[in-house]
Amino acid sequence: MKSSLSTSMTVVNVAPGLPCSSIRSGNIMAILNLLLLLCLFPINEATAEKPNVLLLLVDDLGIGDVGCFGNNTIRTPNIDRLAREGVKLTQHVAAASLCSPSRSAFLTGRYPIRTGMTGHNNGYRVLMWNAVSGGIPTNETTFAQILKEQGYSTAIMGKWHLGVNCESRNDFCHHPLNHGFDYFYGTPFTLVNDCEVSRPSELHVAFKRTLWFYAQIFAITLLTLGAANLWHVINVPWKIIFAFTLFGTVFFMYWYAAYAFQIYWNCIWMENFEIVEQPMDLEKKAGQLVREAKSFINRNKDGPFLLFVSFLHVHTPHYTTKNMIGRSKHDLYGDNVEEVDWMIGEILDAIDEEGLVNDTLTYFTSDHGGYLEGMTGSPHLKGSNGIYRGGKGMGGLEGGIRVPGILRWPSVIPANTAIDKPTSLMDIFPTVTKLGGGVLPQDRIIDGKDLIPLVQGLIPDSEHKFMFHYCDEYLHAVRWQQTTSDTIWKVHYFSPKFSPGEGACYWSKLCPCSGDNVIYHSPPLLFNLSNDPSENNPLPSDLPLYNEVLQTIEQAVAHHNSTLYPVPQQLYGINNLWNPRLQPCCGTFPLCWCNKNKTN
């Protein structure tokens, strides 16, 4: 059953098997529309089966870089096609503005603060190496685990960035195959500049220079101590000098080994548990991902299947295959966006060719906002977050968390419509769990909400009354959907200090979440996002309305805080330091290099 619905009226398609409790008694119009549809159209028996699930997650894509979300200079015809054939979510937000926390929330349906996947301002904010003990906790439940239990074939291809090992080089406690996926073809880390030899990370180059500088100071100090001792200028026991020498040598060798061989330690490609490229060949990755995705769809066309394509694009260094370079008006960044759109088109074509369109729920989004500080050499080498302020790493600002969102399921979801209500990446967890016949975990709080009643028009408002926006472990902002006035309010407690005259923190490459480089708002800033989505005009704090809204939000914050409890911190301290014992290696460590990839 495929509907062609105009956006001028509310018409509902419903999937057989959805609980009648999803329909609120107060929504009389929705019920009438539903009854009308059931009378006019016969129910397609295929929709009674468990749908296939295709998840398309782009890395660092700004909402302003997509045609159907307002861009008119970068070509995204395949993403735009999804929007025409489905529902566009215009207030779709990530649970975090950085990779690892956002992706953990996506898979578990839970705020990162609940799972220990928040960053730390005095340390690292995402997983920094493959060889760390931190990662998605083993006691968390992913939607892949639930669907696998319901008979789904499950696969993830592309980026993981949620850890590999816990205690040994091959325990794979954080690996995708131990979190519900039957098949993994991708990198356990992420795409970083070091993976492209000609363009190493500026941060790592700077760190190595700093390390070399301090190593010289250490050597001069050591020689001075030894000479002074020999000439009896001072009397330092030789045991202390030896211990000092040993400690310094180990310290500098450790950091040199960690940073000098980044391309071997982090730029690896795996098929299931096996490393097939170390380092990986970036030139072949776009084609390999497309071919593997098509192959999986073909192998599992009798369904049901869950395919999660987690693109390496459009993360820096914006690596683009040669045949796509120079096609856009925005240098390498635009080329990268247009290439990922091509990849999406190829995967959608495979769904079409197998006749699976009406049997597949397709979801498209980005893990967070576009990266503004990433590559400063040209204004065209960074993402666009459209009208929204801020970007990647700025947990409270809309530009860091507002992302494109599209759902397509022609047999169930109306086409060419838009939902202007708060939704979240976390909503995919309960949505696909229920559609796949699974049951939500009852022993923990699930923060995501089932999207199907909202996108079908069975309920008038999002089930997200409040949404909490963290920057690392700090609560920077809260939004409230005030249904009585159809208004979205947002309060800010903290904001980053931008570079003078700029809209980002170019001096640090990533805005901090606390400390001297954060503005503490007292009283908090309050914005009416419905009228001021760019967050330019805060409501005056002396208005009665300000106090009424703030009081309501603070009550919600107090309740939210009461639901939090201490959990092991995955991204703090030693859990996020490079550990040679945990380094994935396709040879005998440290001789880690190979190319066994069968897909060329």
Side-chain angles (χ1 to χ4, degrees), residues 1 42 50 66 75 83 103 109 121 168 179 214 222 226 244 292 323 328 330 374 393 421 449 462 506 519 525 546:
M1 178 172 63
K50 297 175 182 178
V66 182
R75 294 165 295 187
R103 290 164 182 270
N121 211 51
S168 70
H179 285 277
Y214 284 115
L222 188 63
F244 180 65
E292 280 298 305
N323 64 324
S328 79
H330 292 270
K421 304 290 182 179
K449 309 296 181 183
S462 167
Y506 294 113
I519 302 171
L525 300 182
Y546 173 94

Side-chain angles (χ1 to χ4, degrees), residues 23-52:
I23 306 175
R24 293 182 178 175
S25 59
N27 192 359
I28 303 300
M29 184 59 69
I31 294 176
L32 293 175
N33 286 328
L34 172 61
L35 292 174
L36 178 63
L37 263 183
L38 292 177
C39 292
L40 293 177
F41 298 99
I43 295 175
N44 184 351
E45 294 299 327
T47 62
E49 303 295 329
K50 297 175 182 178
N52 304 312

Side-chain angles (χ1 to χ4, degrees), residues 176-191:
L177 267 59
N178 282 322
H179 285 277
F181 292 100
D182 297 315
Y183 182 66
F184 173 54
Y185 183 73
T187 175
F189 195 56
T190 182
L191 182 62

Side-chain angles (χ1 to χ4, degrees), residues 1-15 30 33-34 36-38 40-41 83-88 407 409-419 452-458:
M1 178 172 63
K2 183 175 181 180
S3 67
S4 56
L5 307 178
S6 71
T7 56
S8 61
M9 62 181 293
T10 303
V11 184
V12 181
N13 274 357
V14 67
N33 286 328
L34 172 61
L36 178 63
L37 263 183
L38 292 177
L40 293 177
F41 298 99
R84 289 194 304 273
E85 297 175 354
V87 172
K88 188 169 65 172
L407 282 171
W409 188 6
S411 61
V412 175
I413 295 174
N416 200 28
T417 59
I419 300 292
I452 296 300
L454 180 65
V455 299
Q456 288 187 324
L458 300 180

